[in-house]
Amino acid sequence: MAERRASLTEPRIENLLEQENSKFTLVTLASRRAREINDYYNHLGEGLGKIVPPQVTSVSRKPLSIALEEIEVGKIIKRDLPTEEELAALAEAEAAEAADATPADDAG
């Protein structure tokens, strides 16, 4: 069972900033994950299964606190979106793959 924390300031911001260097990114990441956790708890019993449950055992019932604990232990990490060039290259590769997979018409 999870231990009760001695302080309301856990996880410490210093520990969280070791995971993510930017406070803005940390807040954005935590808020998005907290919304996912909140959605998970709101949809329990509906059998949707699309939302990932909390990844840590926590005594806290608040989604934001749980999200911050997940970030502290490294369960939630930031992934950058692909750049325009990467998206264009991916689209070209998919188009080439689709062209190669199409059977050639034998007219004769």
Side-chain angles (χ1 to χ4, degrees):
M1 187 165 175
E3 294 180 19
R4 214 155 282 260
R5 285 187 244 152
S7 170
L8 293 175
T9 58
E10 291 290 330
R12 309 252 334 139
I13 189 72
E14 294 82 13
N15 297 343
L16 293 168
L17 286 174
E18 289 175 5
Q19 300 293 329
E20 206 43 66
N21 293 332
S22 166
K23 288 181 185 178
F24 177 77
T25 304
L26 182 63
V27 168
T28 304
L29 188 62
S31 67
R32 287 183 181 185
R33 179 60 183 143
R35 285 187 195 111
E36 289 177 356
I37 292 169
N38 195 31
D39 287 345
Y40 170 78
Y41 285 129
N42 288 335
H43 290 99
L44 278 178
E46 293 181 18
L48 296 177
K50 295 180 182 178
I51 303 168
V52 178
Q55 302 295 303
V56 295
T57 303
S58 176
V59 295
S60 177
R61 288 180 282 169
K62 297 181 179 179
L64 185 58
S65 297
I66 296 169
L68 290 171
E69 290 175 16
E70 289 179 341
I71 293 169
E72 182 182 35
V73 297
K75 295 286 186 175
I76 305 297
I77 57 171
K78 178 186 81 165
R79 239 181 47 194
D80 293 327
L81 293 174
T83 63
E84 293 291 327
E85 294 81 21
E86 291 171 338
L87 289 173
L90 183 61
E92 286 177 15
E94 287 177 353
E97 226 176 79
D100 291 342
T102 322
D105 290 334
D106 291 331

